[in-house]
Amino acid sequence: WSFGVCYLSLTLYNTFATQRESARTDVYRENKSYIEGTIRDLRELRVEYDKTDNVHKSVLKSLILHRSNELDYDRLPSDIRDFLKNLKEN
């Protein structure tokens, strides 16, 4: 009997904890400071991208595109949107 209660408790916890953490992550990603911090990081990465050689550009390009996938493009400044658009086209 106690094993069944423990098993049910763990199953319910795993189910609802995953959903709760997913919701917390979504809220965090919509946070203004997260968005501004990511934009700042993308600008810094753009400077590094412009300064680096061709060998390292592909690595930076992957990193930049990965980081930008988490953001809503409509909320990005135009300079970052243009930079990301150029990266995707090349």
Side-chain angles (χ1 to χ4, degrees):
W1 165 252
S2 65
F3 174 76
V5 171
C6 288
Y7 177 76
L8 179 63
S9 175
L10 286 173
T11 302
L12 290 174
Y13 175 78
N14 285 338
T15 301
F16 292 112
T18 303
Q19 292 173 356
R20 185 180 67 192
E21 286 302 313
S22 177
R24 285 180 53 181
T25 301
D26 291 344
V27 168
Y28 176 73
R29 287 185 177 159
E30 291 298 319
N31 186 324
K32 183 178 178 182
S33 62
Y34 173 78
I35 294 168
E36 289 174 354
T38 304
I39 289 170
R40 183 181 60 247
D41 291 345
L42 289 173
R43 283 190 170 130
E44 291 173 2
L45 288 168
R46 180 180 63 186
V47 170
E48 290 298 318
Y49 182 85
D50 290 339
K51 291 192 306 187
T52 193
D53 57 6
N54 287 335
V55 174
H56 294 103
K57 280 191 180 197
S58 64
V59 174
L60 278 174
K61 177 181 176 179
S62 297
L63 176 63
I64 292 166
L65 292 176
H66 177 72
R67 289 291 309 268
S68 67
N69 281 338
E70 300 173 351
L71 297 175
D72 179 13
Y73 274 54
D74 295 333
R75 298 177 78 175
L76 294 174
S78 61
D79 63 320
I80 297 295
R81 275 195 310 249
D82 293 342
F83 173 64
L84 294 173
K85 182 180 176 185
N86 288 334
L87 278 183
K88 287 181 180 182
E89 290 174 355
N90 295 329

